[in-house]
Amino acid sequence: MDVGYKPQVGASAPGKVIIFGEHFVVYNNQAIVAAINRRCFGRADFIKNLGVQIASSLERNYNPQTARDAAATIDVRSNTELLEPLTIFCKNILGEYAPEIGIKIFIKSELAVGVGLGSSAASCVTLAGILKSIIRHSSSKEISSIDRQWIYEKALDGEQMIHNKSSGVDCYVSTYGGLVHFAGPTRTRTIENQPLPLFLINTHRRHETSELVSHVRRFRGNKSKRFNALMNEATAICSSGIKAIAKGSLEEIGLLMTENHKLLREIGVSNSEIEKIIGICVRCGSLGAKITGAGGGGSILVLARPETIPVLNAAIEGLDLCSESIEIANKGLIID
Ligand code: PMV
C-alpha cells in the first residue's frame, strides 16, 4: 500500500529513576530525575486496515517460571492493561492527524511495568515519536525542538490516561534524556551529567502508581499542615541535591537520598519489606538508598561505591534479591 510514507518507522525512549522528589512533584514541587540505560523500543509497519494495532513480544513471551529473572518481565494482565490505553492513545492521535492510514506497532521493553522505572511514560514517548515521524512525512532521524515538545505533550496526555494524575516528570525525562532538574514547564533544565554509581534492587512487587498517588492525596487532605512541612523538606533536599551533584559529593548525595526516603516513608508509600532492604543497604555501607518512583514495592535506588556491591548482594541474596548497575542515559527519544 503506497501511502507516501516511509515503509517502517522505529523509535525508542528511556525509562527513568527519580533521585529526589517523587510524589511531592505531583504538587508542583521540584524533582531530580535521570533517564536510564533501559529503553522501550517500537516499530510501526503500514497495513491495509485503517487505524492502529499494537502488539508486544512481552505478552507472547511471558513465562511465569522465568518471570523473576527477566529484567523486562511483566505479567499478561498488566500488559493488557497497558496495551489498551496505549492503543486508544495512538488511535486518538492518528485519527486526528492521519486518519487515512493504518499501522501495526510492535513494542518491546527493557523496563518492567509497575516497578518505578517509568515504563508507561517510555511507551507513550516511543509511540508519540513514531506517530510524529509518520505524520510529518519525513524520513529524517532528527527531531526538532518543536516536534520534541509536541511529543512530550502528547505522551503526557497518554500517561494521564494510564495514571490519572501525573506530574509529567517521567515523560519529560524520557523525551529529553539526561539528568534533569524538573521544576515546572519554564524552569526545568538539564543538569551537567556526573557519573553516579547507581544500582537498582527490584523488590519483585509490582505497584499501581495511580493507587499510591491517590493514597498520598488522602494523606495530604487529612494532614495538610504536616504534608506542607514535608513538601518544604523535599524542596530543601532537592536544592541541596543540586549542589551536591555539582560538587560531585557522593557522600552528600547518598545522605540526601536516605533523607528523601524518610519523607516517602512518612507519607505511607514504603512498607516493611522495603524498610528491611533499605536497612541492609545502609548497614552494608551504601552511601544512600530510597524508593524510586511511586513506592509500595517497585524498585529501590541505591548509591554505592562498586566495592560495596558484593557485600550488599551477599546480604540480600537471602531475600532472593540482587542489585543491578544502571547508568544515566543522555539520549532521550531516538527515531531510527
Ligand atoms: O512509579 P512510577 O514510575 O510511575 O513514577 C511515579 C512518580 C510519581 O511522582 C509518584 C508520580 C508522578 O506523576 O510524578
Side-chain angles (χ1 to χ4, degrees):
M1 182 188 182
D2 182 11
V3 287
Y5 299 106
K6 299 190 277 176
Q8 243 195 7
V9 182
S12 71
K16 64 93 197 22
V17 288
I18 299 181
I19 302 176
F20 301 113
E22 52 274 269
H23 284 291
F24 301 102
V25 69
V26 173
Y27 303 97
N28 302 325
N29 244 26
Q30 48 184 296
I32 299 176
V33 56
I36 58 169
N37 57 341
R38 306 278 186 279
R39 300 179 78 85
C40 174
F41 301 86
R43 188 155 292 282
D45 286 294
F46 293 99
I47 54 171
K48 285 204 174 102
N49 295 342
L50 296 186
V52 183
Q53 293 170 23
I54 299 187
S56 161
S57 65
L58 297 168
E59 194 160 20
R60 279 211 300 274
N61 292 347
Y62 177 71
N63 172 357
Q65 247 58 52
T66 55
R68 221 171 30 85
D69 306 322
T73 293
I74 58 177
D75 62 50
V76 174
R77 189 177 58 86
S78 68
N79 195 20
T80 311
E81 276 168 17
L82 188 61
L83 288 188
E84 276 173 10
L86 290 179
T87 307
I88 297 169
F89 164 66
C90 292
K91 278 186 175 160
N92 289 346
I93 297 180
L94 210 65
E96 188 176 347
Y97 296 93
E100 71 284 10
I101 64 165
I103 49 171
K104 180 162 187 169
I105 306 177
F106 184 75
I107 54 173
K108 59 178 186 172
S109 183
E110 296 168 342
L111 297 155
V113 172
V115 296
L117 301 182
S119 68
S120 48
S123 305
C124 290
V125 172
T126 301
L127 292 170
I130 288 174
L131 292 169
K132 184 70 198 175
S133 183
I134 289 170
I135 293 162
R136 74 182 174 184
H137 290 240
S138 152
S139 56
S140 166
K141 293 177 184 174
E142 295 298 314
I143 311 169
S144 69
S145 58
I146 293 173
D147 282 356
R148 219 175 259 277
Q149 176 69 18
W150 184 94
I151 290 162
Y152 164 60
E153 284 167 12
K154 290 291 173 200
L156 187 52
D157 289 345
E159 217 211 356
Q160 306 276 18
M161 270 166 45
I162 300 166
H163 291 320
N164 297 328
K165 173 122 175 72
S166 162
S167 65
V169 72
D170 289 19
C171 286
Y172 186 91
V173 78
S174 184
T175 307
Y176 291 93
L179 181 62
V180 169
H181 179 201
F182 187 84
T186 51
R187 291 182 301 125
T188 293
R189 65 182 180 92
T190 302
I191 307 170
E192 202 174 325
N193 191 338
Q194 304 273 356
L196 297 174
L198 291 170
F199 298 83
L200 286 173
I201 300 173
N202 184 343
T203 62
H204 300 302
R205 189 184 283 241
R206 190 179 161 233
H207 67 212
E208 208 56 71
T209 301
S210 54
E211 280 170 19
L212 287 147
V213 169
S214 300
H215 168 85
V216 175
R217 188 173 307 119
R218 284 194 295 277
F219 180 101
R220 178 175 178 251
N222 295 337
K223 299 182 180 174
S224 58
K225 213 167 152 198
R226 184 63 193 144
F227 190 79
N228 287 340
L230 293 171
M231 286 273 282
N232 290 339
E233 284 184 45
T235 304
I237 287 174
C238 275
S239 304
S240 305
I242 300 275
K243 290 183 195 138
I245 290 169
K247 275 197 286 182
S249 169
L250 295 182
E251 285 76 11
E252 280 177 60
I253 300 167
L255 283 173
L256 289 164
M257 282 170 60
T258 308
E259 281 307 305
N260 190 156
H261 179 74
K262 289 180 190 159
L263 309 185
L264 295 168
R265 185 168 64 204
E266 187 167 342
I267 59 175
V269 296
S270 186
N271 57 36
S272 55
E273 201 180 337
I274 293 172
E275 290 309 311
K276 187 171 178 182
I277 299 166
I278 288 184
I280 294 174
C281 291
V282 172
R283 280 197 299 281
C284 287
S286 302
L287 299 163
K290 65 182 277 291
I291 285 168
T292 186
S299 302
I300 292 167
L301 181 66
V302 186
L303 187 78
R305 295 192 196 285
E307 55 272 24
T308 308
I309 292 304
V311 185
L312 175 60
N313 281 342
I316 57 177
E317 204 184 359
L319 303 174
D320 230 358
L321 300 173
C322 184
S323 67
E324 57 166 329
S325 168
I326 48 158
E327 280 168 28
I328 297 175
N330 285 323
K331 284 201 188 304
L333 173 72
I334 297 172
I335 303 289
D336 58 19

